[in-house]
Amino acid sequence: MEINVPANQSFLAADELKAMGFKKIGSNVLVSRFARFYGIENIELGDHVRIDDFCLLSGKIKTGTYVHISAFCALYGANGIEMGDFTGLSPRCTIFSASDDFGGEWLIGPMVPLELTNVKGGRVKLNRFVQLGAGSMVLPGVEIGEGSVTGAMSLVTKDLNPWGIYAGVPVKLIREREKTLVELSNKLK
């Protein structure tokens, strides 16, 4: 099923996207002219992906199909970020796959020689049907189970089980989530 989006100067044209050098680019991909990419040769975008204004994607990032990354999101994929089918990031979400050591025994920052820093992390994975609420943050090495969602301004510091509604700093399970949307997604095949 093709979703018709009117021609719009705000999104890059298909030929512009292909010329940018993505590792992989699917069909029906909408990318804002105001989004920024670093290490674009390591970024894979599936079919039906939309990336809105003022997003920053850096490092190893792979999306599935029907993915939406809302305005002002930042994905730092030094150790990899994977977003499954039907996942979404509400405005101002941040995902880190690596982090400096802030304990005071190491220097911090990208301009410091690597041997004087202690950057650690791990791949972040958002499984199918995951949605992060506005302003949520995910720390390195986290896997969010299929169908789980976070409330606005949530901090995800550990793996989340499937089909839960989580919120808080750090997140806590609020309740289980319905799975009706799985049936709805089958209509798109």
Side-chain angles (χ1 to χ4, degrees):
M1 172 189 281
E2 187 76 16
I3 298 173
N4 292 323
V5 176
N8 185 325
Q9 295 294 340
S10 297
F11 294 108
L12 295 164
D15 60 329
E16 291 176 296
L17 286 172
K18 287 180 183 167
M20 290 177 69
F22 286 98
K23 183 174 183 178
K24 177 185 174 263
I25 187 103
S27 64
N28 196 32
V29 173
L30 297 174
V31 174
S32 167
R33 293 186 178 281
F34 300 107
R36 294 293 177 254
F37 303 90
Y38 299 94
I40 200 164
E41 67 279 3
N42 297 312
I43 298 175
E44 302 178 51
L45 302 177
D47 298 335
H48 311 287
V49 172
R50 178 173 156 171
I51 301 172
D52 290 343
D53 292 346
F54 312 113
C55 290
L56 184 143
L57 283 74
S58 174
K60 300 175 204 137
I61 298 169
K62 181 178 182 179
T63 75
T65 62
Y66 296 100
V67 171
H68 181 213
I69 301 173
S70 297
F72 295 99
C73 287
L75 285 72
Y76 299 101
N79 288 310
I81 296 171
E82 185 177 336
M83 296 179 66
D85 298 342
F86 302 99
T87 58
L89 305 179
S90 299
R92 298 191 184 279
C93 287
T94 305
I95 300 176
F96 294 98
S97 68
S99 179
D100 282 289
D101 183 332
F102 290 89
E105 298 169 1
W106 301 93
L107 293 176
I108 297 170
M111 301 308 291
V112 175
L114 286 177
E115 65 272 9
L116 301 176
T117 67
N118 188 31
V119 177
K120 293 189 177 183
R123 179 184 72 129
V124 173
K125 184 173 182 182
L126 281 60
N127 286 288
R128 293 182 331 142
F129 304 110
V130 166
Q131 180 73 40
L132 300 182
S136 291
M137 182 178 294
V138 178
L139 297 185
V142 166
E143 181 170 351
I144 300 178
E146 179 178 272
S148 283
V149 296
T150 66
M153 306 296 289
S154 292
L155 175 64
V156 184
T157 61
K158 61 182 180 180
D159 293 353
L160 302 183
N161 291 327
W163 297 102
I165 298 174
Y166 294 84
V169 178
V171 293
K172 292 181 180 152
L173 179 64
I174 304 301
R175 68 175 176 88
E176 298 299 315
R177 186 175 184 215
E178 295 296 324
K179 299 178 186 173
T180 309
L181 55 94
V182 175
E183 295 170 25
L184 293 172
S185 73
N186 290 328
K187 295 181 179 186
L188 295 171
K189 294 180 180 178

